[in-house]
């Protein structure tokens, strides 16, 4: 009882902030404060835009950036991660809003937070490393396309059409634009996107997103452009925390979306933290703590009307590039955004929606790493196929299905590659202890096969066809010491092969069976066939001796030809 309590206490302690985190925050506060201010300037239009795109409004995006950004920074597993609303999460939330409404999204966010905390307690963070790179690249490409298409209604200045499929909504928005063109809106979107993309090439350190948004807002207000529809009224502060949105009766129906949101939050956050580690020296995130921090952030954000949050790769990259070294930078980013919510809400409310659409269009374009895509496509055909399938599934279905499809295809192709490594080679008998005449006679009636590699479901049936195709022999010896993996399917196939050979009057002997293989073979009854009459041998020479005895009893091999010398090569031919 005491040891269990100690383990639980140690596990909880490992997930909580440590003294080292506080010490890091005090080493270079000036640099971290500057980095946090820069990230806040970059994050403001993104938080507003993703809030609008999610369907809950700009205030939801701001609440998420402030609450989730602060908690994830404090409790997360990375010193450099910046969290908040993201485009990937928005893609998942749009259909949830359409089916369950805003209260459904808040409930899903809360449930996803609980699931993330559970994943952290189960130490599931380490499994991120098993997601193949082509799945991640295809996933990112698909998200970029979806984010871009989601901005089409605001960029064209038309009301968002009904529908939860981005391709359908985009097509309907284009139809509405053709009926009543709004060139002012599309002009704002194009100019803002172009300013951000070209400005990033010219002066990478300047936050052109906020500059372009401020300029667009000033022009819209000065010229009185009614066609440039603004965000609208924003509350001057965060709402009081509340659980009024939570309906116990809806929890069952929302479990599926909650699992999807939690999976996406875990995937994107751990990926973002890994990217941050790779951009600097001496930083290494704790994946379980990161899941824990994201879980707490997603539990708290809905209480303030916020949408589910994840680690944000773009904002995290800006944080690293501007010199952040501790969690103080991400906490400063959240504090600056909170100050903007309280002090500048009336000004923020005047930002044209088309300008925010331009910011997100530029973000989508910058998400596409052409060099990485080319490298992945050239690597192998399998990698290219996985990338394309994941990207198409992201665009046509949803993100969770896309990841599952990508993982399934990657797993199938990996199994296919592993299965081709399984070999069944016919091995000549050892000549050392036999005369030329006896060896020729033995080779005529005994065949030895060496099994190399994995014997599992993906390769087992091919093995069965090859093995049972043997003809015109009296004894088959299976040398099994080189089998690397065996599952129940492989054991069953081996059992079937032995049974079929024995029905044809062929004696089957085995040598070199490992302890782990014995358990699998015994579980399906295959070992019993080999144990019968001493057909299971430790070494190949022992199996050859047994085969010789069988041929002697059958009158094929004379007892006079049996060599007197003992077997001297057992250790070399297992």
């Amino acid at each position: 009882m005491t040891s269990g309590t100690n383990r639980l206490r140690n596990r909880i302690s490992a997930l909580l902030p440590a003294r080292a985190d506080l010490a890091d925050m005090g080493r270079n506060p000036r640099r971290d404060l500057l980095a946090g201010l820069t990230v806040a300037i970059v994050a403001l239009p993104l938080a507003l835009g993703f809030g609008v795109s999610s369907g809950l409004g700009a205030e939801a995006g701001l609440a998420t950036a402030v609450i989730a950004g602060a908690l994830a920074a404090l409790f997360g597993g990375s010193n450099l991660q910046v969290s908040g609303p993201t485009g990937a999460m928005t893609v998942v939330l749009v259909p949830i809003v359409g089916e369950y409404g805003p209260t459904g999204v808040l409930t899903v966010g809360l449930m996803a937070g609980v699931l993330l905390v559970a994943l952290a307690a189960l130490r599931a963070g380490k499994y991120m490393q098993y997601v193949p790179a082509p799945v991640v690249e295809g996933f990112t490409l698909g998200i970029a396309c979806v984010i871009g298409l989601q901005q089409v209604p605001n960029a064209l200045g038309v009301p968002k059409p009904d529908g939860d499929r981005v391709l359908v909504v985009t097509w309907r928005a284009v139809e509405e634009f053709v009926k009543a063109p709004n060139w002012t809106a599309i002009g704002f979107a194009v100019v803002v996107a172009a300013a951000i993309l070209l400005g990033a090439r010219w002066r990478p350190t300047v936050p052109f997103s906020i500059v372009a948004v401020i300029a667009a807002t000033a022009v819209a207000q000065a010229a009185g452009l009614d066609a440039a529809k603004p965000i609208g009224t924003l509350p001057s502060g965060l709402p009081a925390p509340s659980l009024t949105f939570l309906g116990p009766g809806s929890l069952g129906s929302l479990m599926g979306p909650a699992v999807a949101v939690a999976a996406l939050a875990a995937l994107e956050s751990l990926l973002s933290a890994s990217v941050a580690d790779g951009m600097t020296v001496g930083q290494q995130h704790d994946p379980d703590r990161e899941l824990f921090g994201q879980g707490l952030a997603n539990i708290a954000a809905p209480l303030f009307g916020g949408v589910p949050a994840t680690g944000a790769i773009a904002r995290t990259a800006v944080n690293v590039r501007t010199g952040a070294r501790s969690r103080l930078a991400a906490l400063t980013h959240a504090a600056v955004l909170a100050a903007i919510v309280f002090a500048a809400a009336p000004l923020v409310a005047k930002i044209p929606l088309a300008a925010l659409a331009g910011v997100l269009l530029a973000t989508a374009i910058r998400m596409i790493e052409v060099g990485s895509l080319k490298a992945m496509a050239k690597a192998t055909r399998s990698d290219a196929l996985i990338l394309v399938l994941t990207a198409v599934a992201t665009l046509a279905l949803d993100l969770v299905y896309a990841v599952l499809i990508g993982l399934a295809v990657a797993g199938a192709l990996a199994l296919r590659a592993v299965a081709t490594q399984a070999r069944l080679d016919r091995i000549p008998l050892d000549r050392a202890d036999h005369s030329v005449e006896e060896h020729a006679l033995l080779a005529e009636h005994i065949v030895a096969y060496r099994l190399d590699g994995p014997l599992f479901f993906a390769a087992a049936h091919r093995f069965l066809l090859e093995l049972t195709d043997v003809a015109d022999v009296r004894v088959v010896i299976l040398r099994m010491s080189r089998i690397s993996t065996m599952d129940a399917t492989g054991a069953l196939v081996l059992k079937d092969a032995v049974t079929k050979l024995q029905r044809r009057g062929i004696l089957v002997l085995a040598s070199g069976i490992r302890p782990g293989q014995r358990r699998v073979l015994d579980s399906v009854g295959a070992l019993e066939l080999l144990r019968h009459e001493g057909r299971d041998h430790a070494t190949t020479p022992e199996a050859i001796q047994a085969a010789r005895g069988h041929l002697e009893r059958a009158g094929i091999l004379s007892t006079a030809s049996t060599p007197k010398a003992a077997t001297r090569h057992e250790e070399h031919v297992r």
Side-chain angles (χ1 to χ4, degrees):
M1 182 70 177
T2 303
S3 61
T5 304
N6 289 336
R7 283 198 299 269
L8 179 60
R9 185 184 298 112
N10 292 337
R11 185 65 193 132
I12 294 174
S13 177
L15 295 174
L16 296 176
R19 291 183 179 179
D21 300 328
L22 298 177
D24 289 340
M25 291 169 62
R27 284 176 185 166
N28 200 339
R30 187 173 182 178
R31 196 170 183 175
D32 285 328
L33 290 171
L34 180 60
L37 176 62
T38 304
V39 174
I41 293 172
V42 173
L44 177 60
L46 294 175
L48 295 170
F50 289 134
V52 171
S53 295
S54 70
L56 270 71
E59 61 273 20
L62 282 174
T64 303
V66 173
I67 301 300
L71 286 174
L74 186 60
F75 291 95
S78 171
N79 288 330
L80 306 173
Q81 181 92 286
V82 178
S83 300
T86 63
M89 187 59 74
T90 300
V91 173
V92 173
L93 297 180
V94 169
I96 298 176
V97 173
E99 186 171 354
Y100 301 102
T103 58
V105 171
L106 300 179
T107 304
V108 163
L110 181 64
M111 295 171 66
V114 174
L115 291 174
L116 287 170
V117 171
L119 288 175
L122 294 172
R123 301 183 180 183
K126 59 186 176 183
Y127 295 109
M128 170 62 192
Q129 61 184 314
Y130 298 113
V131 179
V135 174
V136 175
E137 291 291 342
F139 177 73
T140 305
L141 174 61
I143 288 172
C145 294
V146 173
I147 291 173
L149 292 174
Q150 282 181 340
Q151 309 318 308
V152 170
N154 284 336
L156 298 180
V158 300
K160 183 180 178 182
D162 295 331
D164 57 1
R165 295 295 179 191
V166 67
L167 293 173
V168 175
V169 171
T170 301
W171 179 254
R172 291 174 180 173
V174 172
E175 290 179 332
E176 291 297 322
F177 178 79
V178 171
K179 294 177 184 177
N182 184 343
W183 298 109
T184 302
I186 198 171
F188 272 114
V190 171
V191 170
V192 169
I196 294 171
L197 294 173
L198 295 176
R201 289 176 174 269
W202 178 50
R203 289 285 190 273
T205 57
V206 177
F208 278 97
S209 58
I210 193 69
V211 173
V213 167
I214 291 174
T217 305
V219 170
Q221 292 299 308
L225 299 176
D226 295 333
K229 183 180 177 183
I231 291 176
T233 304
L234 288 175
S236 297
L238 296 174
S242 172
L243 276 172
T244 55
F245 62 86
L246 191 62
S250 63
L251 297 182
S253 61
L254 292 174
M255 181 54 70
V259 171
V261 168
L264 177 59
L267 177 67
E268 190 172 13
S269 298
L270 294 176
L271 175 62
S272 177
S274 297
V275 170
D277 290 345
M279 293 177 66
T280 187
V281 177
Q283 294 285 349
Q284 183 67 40
H285 75 282
D286 183 328
D288 295 326
R289 275 192 64 186
E290 184 59 32
L291 291 179
F292 181 70
Q294 295 296 335
L296 294 183
N298 279 285
I299 289 173
L303 305 181
F304 295 87
V307 296
T310 75
I313 296 178
R315 276 155 275 179
T316 299
V318 172
N319 195 39
V320 175
R321 291 194 191 106
T322 50
R325 287 294 179 268
S326 76
R327 301 162 189 270
L328 181 60
L331 286 169
T332 302
H333 137 270
V336 171
L337 289 177
I340 292 173
V341 170
F342 283 98
L347 295 177
V348 173
K350 296 178 181 180
I351 297 174
L353 289 173
L356 290 182
V359 173
L360 298 186
L361 284 171
T363 300
I365 293 171
R366 295 174 70 180
M367 286 177 65
I368 301 174
E369 295 286 347
V370 178
S372 297
L373 293 176
K374 285 183 178 180
M376 203 65 62
K378 290 179 180 179
T380 66
R381 291 183 180 179
S382 297
D383 289 334
L385 176 63
I386 295 166
L387 188 153
V388 171
L389 282 178
T390 306
V392 171
T394 301
L395 187 60
L397 302 174
D398 65 41
L399 301 191
V400 177
Y401 281 128
V403 172
L404 291 177
I405 289 171
L407 289 175
V409 174
L413 292 175
L415 284 175
R416 180 174 175 269
V418 171
T420 57
Q421 298 176 7
R423 295 173 55 189
L424 182 68
D425 296 327
R426 183 166 177 169
I427 304 299
L429 300 178
D430 182 32
R431 294 176 176 269
D433 295 324
H434 312 289
S435 64
V436 175
E437 295 80 4
E438 183 188 32
H439 184 272
L441 189 60
L442 288 172
E444 183 179 347
H445 296 284
I446 303 174
V447 60
Y449 285 103
R450 184 175 63 205
L451 283 65
D452 273 328
L455 183 59
F456 68 128
F457 67 92
H461 293 286
R462 176 171 58 85
F463 160 80
L464 173 64
L465 293 175
E466 291 182 24
L467 183 57
T468 54
D469 194 42
V470 64
D472 299 328
V473 296
R474 294 298 185 96
V475 182
V476 169
I477 298 175
L478 301 179
R479 298 174 59 178
M480 301 176 62
S481 63
R482 295 193 182 184
I483 295 178
S484 58
T485 302
M486 179 186 294
D487 66 358
T489 303
L492 282 171
V493 166
L494 182 63
K495 178 184 177 182
D496 290 342
V498 172
T499 301
K500 289 181 180 180
L501 291 172
Q502 288 179 346
R503 286 175 181 171
R504 291 167 50 193
I506 299 174
L507 175 67
V508 180
L509 305 175
S511 69
I513 302 177
R514 297 179 180 178
Q517 298 167 6
R518 288 184 180 278
R519 288 192 295 271
V520 181
L521 291 168
D522 197 28
S523 67
V524 299
L527 199 59
E528 190 62 33
L529 292 176
L530 298 173
R531 282 176 180 159
H532 181 62
E533 296 181 0
R535 299 174 184 178
D536 175 14
H537 301 276
T539 65
T540 300
E542 290 179 11
I544 294 174
Q545 286 289 94
R548 179 191 292 111
H550 174 74
L551 295 180
E552 290 171 357
R553 289 190 295 273
I556 298 172
L557 187 66
S558 170
T559 55
S561 65
T562 303
K564 298 179 181 179
T567 302
R568 294 186 294 267
H569 301 277
E570 292 186 6
E571 65 274 18
H572 301 297
V573 288
R574 291 185 181 275

